[in-house]
């Protein structure tokens, strides 16, 4: 099996998949801690449905790179979700459900009205579940992913203290002169970027798993923000690597295998937590 | 805290660097090189996901595979040209979810007639041949020439 793995590593598309997988998992798991603590776990799911709609629009417009349409549409929706969430008439969870379901429905409608290939069910399936799209990345897509991941990581590290403050006590952060709205907006925009990147790895339906599972697993083991963030990043990267390698060797779908590994790790972390308490 | 995060980032960068440096050749071709006469791309020796990804690459960058010998296993497919009435034979590969499929047409080395010399459409076949492609406007048609079907 090890020999087989080394044989597969000779292929550039396998190395691309591992590089992109590691970077996406790292970005998603770092931000996941903030999103879970801010009770924004479901925003990832909502935005991934919006990204599906964006993908359908990109298909209709026949753009050279889908990312140029999907990214702005998802970012705009992230800002809208944040603004609508502050609206007292439509509460946060209702806003997420409304936008995500509408985007999913319009996306599927557009794909049916303006099919870009003869295999519509295949297109929908690979967009929703990722299929093998992580193994079919071009060099340009890999570079775009590396640049976007680097931007996300740099923003997170440089604004770590402010993100920490906004995550735990937004009111106090505002009272101490920090413009919490700006940082909430920053978090929403970074989340949108991560979701768009993660669609290549696990598909739009499974995107939020990359965001929430590493954070939730890390929270079983550690209690401080710093330890949870580092543990979440490590678990996210390990799960992603294990998932991709298992999928390639065991002939299983990549996205669902990564999520299955994350669920397994979450279970192990729960058991370790119980053992620690006993 | 920043130190720990930077350490994590550096480790990830090193990990990514390791993967990008395991290339067999500096130019990193899409398929490993092979000696003359041997099968350059053996798709029968790969897992379903690898086969699907490899065929996807072959269809999207066919110039890298031209004149290379290819061996593949997949489902037998057939279609008749409405204008000329000629039969076109193909080997179809599905991904792990079985929702996406890629196919490569093959032209048998010896003269063969359908249906006598071929299996039923949808049956599994193993074909080897020399990779080539033709262009029709923006459409690229990949073909295995001098193809031989294994029993």
């Amino acid at each position: 099996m090890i020999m087989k793995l080394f044989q597969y590593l000779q292929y550039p598309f396998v190395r691309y998949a591992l590089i992109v997988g590691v970077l996406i998992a790292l970005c998603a798991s770092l931000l996941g801690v903030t999103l879970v603590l801010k009770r924004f776990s479901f925003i990832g799911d909502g935005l991934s449905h919006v990204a599906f709609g964006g993908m359908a629009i990109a298909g209709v417009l026949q753009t050279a790179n889908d990312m140029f349409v999907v990214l702005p549409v998802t970012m705009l929706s992230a800002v809208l979700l944040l603004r609508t969430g502050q609206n007292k008439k439509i509460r946060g969870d209702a806003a997420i459900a409304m936008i995500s379901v509408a985007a999913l429905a319009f996306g599927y409608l557009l794909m049916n009205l303006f099919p870009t290939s003869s295999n519509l069910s295949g297109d929908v399936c690979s967009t929703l579940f990722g299929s093998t799209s992580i193994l079919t990345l071009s060099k340009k897509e890999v570079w775009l992913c590396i640049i976007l991941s680097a931007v996300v990581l740099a923003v997170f590290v440089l604004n770590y203290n402010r993100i920490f403050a906004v995550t735990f006590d937004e009111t106090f952060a505002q009272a101490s002169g920090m413009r919490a709205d700006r940082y909430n907006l920053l978090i929403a925009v970074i989340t949108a970027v991560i979701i768009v990147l993660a669609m290549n790895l696990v598909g739009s339906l499974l995107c939020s798993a990359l965001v929430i599972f590493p954070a939730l697993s890390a929270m079983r083991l550690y209690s401080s923000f710093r330890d949870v963030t580092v543990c979440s990043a490590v678990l996210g990267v390990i799960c992603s690597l294990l998932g991709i390698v298992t999928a390639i060797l065991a002939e299983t779908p990549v996205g669902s295998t990564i999520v299955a590994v994350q669920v397994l790790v979450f279970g192990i972390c729960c058991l370790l937590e119980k053992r620690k308490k006993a | 805290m920043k130190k720990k995060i930077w350490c994590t980032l550096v480790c990830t960068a090193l990990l990514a660097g390791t993967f990008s440096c395991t290339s067999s050749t500096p130019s990193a071709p899409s398929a490993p090189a092979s000696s003359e006469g041997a099968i350059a791309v053996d798709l029968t020796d790969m897992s379903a996901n690898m086969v699907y990804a490899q065929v996807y690459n072959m269809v999207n960058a066919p110039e890298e595979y031209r004149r290379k010998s290819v061996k593949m296993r997949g489902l037998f497919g057939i279609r008749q040209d409405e204008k000329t009435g000629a039969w076109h034979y193909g080997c179809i590969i599905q991904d792990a979810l079985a929702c996406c499929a890629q196919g490569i047409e093959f032209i048998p080395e010896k003269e063969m007639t359908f249906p006598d010399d071929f299996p039923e459409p949808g049956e599994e076949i193993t074909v080897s041949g020399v990779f080539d492609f033709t262009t029709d406007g923006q459409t690229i048609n990949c073909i295995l020439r001098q193809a031989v079907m294994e029993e």
Side-chain angles (χ1 to χ4, degrees):
Chain A
M1 197 172 270
I2 298 289
M3 290 303 290
K4 201 82 180 164
L5 183 62
F6 277 107
Q7 182 200 331
Y8 287 162
L9 281 172
Q10 301 284 315
Y11 291 84
F13 60 84
V14 175
R15 296 197 300 273
Y16 292 163
L18 291 170
I19 293 166
V20 171
V22 164
L23 288 173
I24 294 171
L26 180 68
C27 292
S29 52
L30 278 179
L31 202 73
V33 181
T34 301
L35 292 178
V36 169
L37 287 171
K38 279 178 79 67
R39 306 267 190 272
F40 274 179
S41 299
F42 226 57
I43 203 170
D45 206 53
L47 288 179
S48 63
H49 292 184
V50 172
F52 173 81
M55 200 79 107
I57 296 171
V60 173
L61 296 175
Q62 294 186 331
T63 49
N65 192 334
D66 291 352
M67 203 83 97
F68 296 129
V69 176
V70 183
L71 202 57
V73 168
T74 316
M75 279 181 174
L76 190 73
S77 303
V79 176
L80 266 175
L81 278 176
L82 209 74
R83 292 255 179 272
T84 324
Q86 290 159 357
N87 187 338
K88 279 179 186 162
K89 283 183 183 169
I90 306 170
R91 297 193 66 92
D93 58 338
I96 293 173
M98 194 178 72
I99 291 181
S100 71
V101 171
L104 203 60
F106 275 105
Y108 189 56
L109 196 67
L110 280 176
M111 282 176 117
N112 269 277
L113 290 175
F114 308 99
T116 48
S117 76
S118 53
N119 185 14
L120 177 70
S121 57
D123 289 347
V124 174
C125 175
S126 59
T127 315
L128 289 180
F129 295 103
S131 195
T132 45
S133 51
I134 191 74
L135 287 166
T136 54
L137 295 174
S138 67
K139 218 173 227 178
K140 271 184 195 168
E141 288 171 321
V142 174
W143 275 112
L144 188 62
C145 182
I146 290 172
I147 293 165
L148 286 175
S149 302
V151 171
V152 168
L153 293 173
V155 167
F156 184 84
V157 174
L158 293 173
N159 295 289
Y160 173 77
N161 288 329
R162 294 171 194 102
I163 289 173
F164 173 82
V166 171
T167 303
F168 278 100
D169 199 338
E170 204 174 310
T171 320
F172 177 75
Q174 267 174 329
S176 60
M178 193 185 288
R179 297 192 69 174
D181 286 1
R182 276 192 183 180
Y183 289 100
N184 276 331
L185 189 69
L186 186 72
I187 291 168
V189 170
I190 297 174
T191 310
V193 175
I194 291 169
I195 293 298
V196 172
L197 292 176
M199 274 184 77
N200 279 326
L201 187 59
V202 292
S204 68
L205 280 188
L206 303 174
C207 270
S208 47
L210 287 183
V211 177
I212 57 164
F213 271 114
L216 288 173
S217 302
M219 282 172 193
R220 304 301 105 197
L221 304 176
Y222 297 97
S223 50
S224 79
F225 187 73
R226 179 192 65 185
D227 294 344
V228 168
T229 305
V230 173
C231 181
S232 170
V234 172
L235 287 179
V237 169
I238 291 172
C239 289
S240 180
L241 273 178
L242 271 177
I244 295 172
V245 170
T246 309
I248 290 172
L249 292 173
E251 309 191 10
T252 51
V254 183
S256 38
T257 309
I258 294 173
V259 179
V261 172
Q262 286 182 333
V263 174
L264 198 71
V265 169
F266 176 72
I268 294 169
C269 290
C270 286
L271 287 176
L272 288 174
E273 184 193 27
K274 274 189 181 173
R275 212 173 151 187
K276 212 160 87 175
K277 279 182 183 170
Chain B
M1 173 62 207
K2 278 193 177 178
K3 264 186 190 174
K4 282 204 174 183
I5 292 182
W6 278 117
C7 282
T8 314
L9 298 184
V10 169
C11 288
T12 312
L14 286 174
L15 206 64
T18 311
F19 287 128
S20 58
C21 291
T22 47
S23 168
S24 53
T25 52
S27 58
S30 299
S34 71
S35 59
E36 205 173 312
I39 298 285
V41 184
D42 189 354
L43 299 170
T44 59
D45 193 29
M46 292 177 178
S47 69
N49 285 329
M50 284 294 291
V51 173
Y52 182 82
Q54 180 63 48
V55 174
Y56 180 92
N57 278 301
M58 288 163 76
V59 172
N60 282 282
E63 56 287 341
E64 286 185 36
Y65 294 90
R66 196 171 224 168
R67 284 189 285 278
K68 282 189 176 175
S69 57
V70 174
K71 187 177 179 184
M72 65 193 291
R73 187 183 295 130
L75 304 177
F76 177 62
I78 185 161
R79 77 172 176 88
Q80 193 171 22
D81 193 312
E82 286 174 3
K83 286 180 189 169
T84 61
W87 290 101
H88 293 271
Y89 314 108
C91 185
I92 298 155
I93 305 279
Q94 290 183 313
D95 73 337
L97 284 173
C99 64
C100 304
Q102 301 275 345
I104 292 184
E105 186 185 342
F106 63 89
I107 299 171
E109 189 175 32
K110 291 176 188 169
E111 199 164 304
M112 293 168 87
T113 49
F114 183 79
D116 302 340
D117 303 324
F118 289 94
E120 286 288 311
E123 269 186 40
E124 194 177 80
I125 52 164
T126 305
V127 192
S128 49
V130 181
F131 188 84
D132 196 6
F133 68 96
T134 57
T135 47
D136 180 15
Q138 285 191 325
T139 314
I140 296 170
N141 299 311
C142 297
I143 308 163
L144 282 189
R145 296 192 189 278
Q146 299 156 40
V148 178
M149 269 203 301
E150 280 181 19
E151 292 293 316

